[in-house]
Amino acid sequence: MANADLSWIDYDSQHVWHPYTNIKNPTPAFPVKNASGCTIELQTGEVLVDGMASWWSAIHGYNHPRLNEAIKIQLESMAHVMFGGLTHRPATELVQKLIELTPGCLDHVFLSDSGSVAVEVALKMAMQYSSSVYKSSVKQKILTIRGGYHGDTFGAMSVCDPITGMHSLFTSVLPRQIFVDRPKTKFDGIWDESDFEQFETVLSKRRREICAVILEPIVQGAGGMYFYHPTYLKRVREACDRNDVLLIADEIATGFGRTGKLFACEHADIAPDILCVGKSLTGGYMSLAATLCNERVASGISSGDPGLFMHGPTFMGNPLACACAKASIDLLIASDWQKNVLRIENHLSSGLEIMNQLKSVKSTRVLGAIGVVELHQPVDMHLIGAEFVKQGIWVRPFGTLVYVMPPFCINNAELQSLVNGIGLVVSELD
Ligand SMILES: *Cc1c(COP(=O)(O)O)cnc(C)c1O
């Protein structure tokens, strides 16, 4: 049988770079045979309950018949054509959906191939807007809050947390942006107005240098799985307006229901000027991202010289990805996703809460379909991955954070397996 030949696994470990690994001494990568629903089956036969949704993206689970079908139908007419000078229905229909569903009046959409690129595009939009409208070569800096994560390309790295960000290696070549502390008030804490003072002071003092603020609304993801108070986001919106600075919301992780709202900006009832989506946009099937902007930004850029927006990836608007994204959004909207995310939230809340009794646990928190167990000490990635696999679950912590954001189709028994498995592995650390 073809499956009997597993020599590719050895080859992989010697030649294939995986995310953030040492190619000469990689953490082991478990070989996957297939994935369906909320489970991942390894070549070695184990079936794991998926706690990661493949990094926030597989909201409907794996091998979904409707998404498979959408791609097959699109494949019959074309896999791809260039987007320069040509257009097609899958892209236009997707853009229409995005404009309908996103907060505020974000009426113009730039499609790209990954989240990091969507962030680059957003930063470029803000910078081009600024040079067109203010005719200033100075008002080009970005203000952000510490603890953020916006991607691995250079522009995106420049606004990731300067210390805990994985990017301190490149400090000397990165553009220098402006950072303030992240909000101290937690999502469900009691809002304290003094929590906004630093942001307010820095923004008003340096408004002539700052063209935009970028942040992850409500949930800081890879930068620390931190949930902050919606009033902070409201204050950011007001301060940006007062100071003539654009607001970019990076909803690449939070978009499409993950936090219990369709977009995390809705927790604060605000709309950004520029919005990035990615990750779960295609239901985790393929790489696609989008940057949306409002009329102000679009006409500002267009009124400049030469008025063109200077970006255009080769695979822009890929029809397969667009068709898949539209099917994924349709599937989400037609489902009772709010009730479902609430079910996951309640289950994780009660399941993780009790882990606060463990000595190795610093705190636990849950928002929407995101559950976090923060430890006192960083985990050993080599060891802990195998421990979770032994428990029949797929969980991949980083640093002191053990966290899950499962596909929304996860059932209660599968959720309980995640909770039990995490409880067991974490209690062994005590
Ligand atoms: C993952 C992520 C990105 C980067 O997306 P890629 O598709 O990995 O390039 C940017 N911003 C946020 C908030 C993310 O979670």
Side-chain angles (χ1 to χ4, degrees):
M1 292 296 289
N3 276 342
D5 176 16
L6 296 180
S7 58
W8 62 270
I9 299 169
D10 264 346
Y11 192 89
D12 178 283
S13 69
Q14 287 164 37
H15 298 278
V16 183
W17 242 305
H18 286 262
Y20 314 110
T21 51
N22 182 330
I23 190 85
K24 295 297 175 189
N25 181 26
T27 48
F30 298 93
V32 176
K33 192 166 155 202
N34 54 48
S36 72
C38 195
T39 56
I40 295 174
E41 186 188 347
L42 300 185
Q43 286 289 353
T44 37
E46 294 99 325
V47 176
L48 311 177
V49 173
D50 178 33
M52 305 304 291
S54 286
W55 279 337
W56 314 84
S57 66
I59 49 174
H60 307 296
Y62 303 93
N63 215 345
H64 194 287
R66 292 273 294 280
L67 301 186
N68 292 5
E69 187 62 19
I71 294 170
K72 281 180 198 155
I73 291 171
Q74 181 53 42
L75 186 59
E76 293 298 319
S77 68
M78 64 186 159
H80 184 67
V81 290
M82 65 188 280
F83 213 47
L86 298 175
T87 194
H88 45 76
R89 204 166 165 145
T92 313
E93 286 184 348
L94 172 61
V95 161
Q96 196 174 355
K97 281 266 165 238
L98 291 174
I99 290 172
E100 273 168 31
L101 293 175
T102 48
C105 298
L106 301 168
D107 281 344
H108 301 277
V109 182
F110 193 99
L111 298 168
S112 61
D113 23 31
S114 77
S116 301
V117 175
V119 169
E120 299 290 334
V121 166
L123 300 176
K124 240 189 208 182
M125 280 181 180
M127 291 168 189
Q128 270 196 243
Y129 172 85
S130 190
S131 49
S132 299
V133 171
Y134 305 107
K135 313 278 183 244
S136 156
S137 57
V138 179
K139 198 173 165 68
Q140 293 286 316
K141 288 224 179 285
I142 309 291
L143 171 65
T144 188
I145 55 180
R146 293 200 172 83
Y149 176 78
H150 298 283
D152 291 349
T153 53
F154 278 81
M157 273 201 288
S158 78
V159 286
C160 288
D161 186 273
I163 296 157
T164 64
M166 293 161 274
H167 310 121
S168 45
L169 276 173
F170 306 104
T171 311
S172 63
V173 290
L174 287 178
R176 275 184 197 254
Q177 310 295 11
I178 302 168
F179 293 86
V180 295
D181 291 339
R182 72 181 183 191
K184 288 183 191 67
T185 318
K186 302 202 167 117
F187 181 80
D188 50 6
I190 296 164
W191 173 247
D192 172 0
E193 212 54 59
S194 70
D195 207 3
F196 193 63
E197 277 168 14
Q198 193 191 14
F199 189 102
E200 177 79 57
T201 309
V202 173
L203 184 64
S204 55
K205 217 197 239 158
R206 302 185 68 176
R207 53 183 290 183
R208 279 175 201 81
E209 290 168 78
I210 298 170
C211 65
V213 167
I214 188 170
L215 44 71
E216 296 155 279
I218 307 298
V219 174
Q220 290 189 307
M225 303 299 291
Y226 181 69
F227 314 150
Y228 63 85
H229 201 280
T231 302
Y232 188 88
L233 193 54
K234 263 195 213 299
R235 295 286 180 270
V236 168
R237 178 68 274 185
E238 295 157 3
C240 285
D241 288 340
R242 271 199 308 278
N243 289 284
D244 256 330
V245 163
L246 298 174
L247 175 59
I248 304 170
D250 178 351
E251 294 241 17
I252 290 166
T254 50
F256 304 105
R258 179 57 66 181
T259 68
K261 302 278 187 190
L262 198 54
F263 293 93
C265 282
E266 294 169 25
H267 287 286
D269 207 14
I270 62 125
D273 301 293
I274 300 174
L275 175 80
C276 303
V277 294
K279 287 201 163 100
S280 64
L281 175 59
T282 60
Y285 263 54
M286 50 227 305
S287 193
L288 183 72
T291 309
L292 293 86
C293 74
N294 59 17
E295 187 55 37
R296 173 186 170 195
V297 174
S299 46
I301 292 171
S302 308
S303 69
D305 181 19
L308 316 172
F309 182 61
M310 296 311 283
H311 212 89
T314 303
F315 288 101
M316 187 167 177
N318 175 258
L320 289 177
C322 289
C324 186
K326 175 165 180 290
S328 173
I329 293 172
D330 286 343
L331 205 53
L332 181 69
I333 300 304
S335 72
D336 203 349
W337 64 269
Q338 270 153 311
K339 200 169 145 211
N340 198 25
V341 169
L342 192 62
R343 170 185 65 89
I344 298 170
E345 181 175 70
N346 289 336
H347 199 126
L348 288 176
S349 294
S350 56
L352 300 185
E353 169 93 64
I354 42 174
M355 294 180 202
N356 281 298
Q357 296 162 3
L358 299 171
K359 275 204 287 300
S360 53
V361 173
K362 187 174 166 204
S363 65
T364 64
R365 49 188 176 269
V366 175
L367 178 65
I370 313 167
V372 184
V373 179
E374 185 167 351
L375 308 173
H376 289 290
Q377 300 291 328
V379 297
D380 181 331
M381 291 284 283
H382 271 271
L383 299 178
I384 204 156
E387 288 302 311
F388 285 124
V389 168
K390 246 186 242 163
Q391 298 304 323
I393 60 176
W394 179 239
V395 178
R396 190 168 164 82
F398 65 81
T400 56
L401 299 165
V402 178
Y403 62 101
V404 287
M405 58 285 202
F408 298 165
C409 64
I410 191 167
N411 65 33
N412 289 340
E414 289 165 331
L415 267 171
Q416 196 51 41
S417 307
L418 287 181
V419 168
N420 291 345
I422 292 171
L424 248 157
V425 171
V426 169
S427 67
E428 281 164 8
L429 302 171
D430 272 13

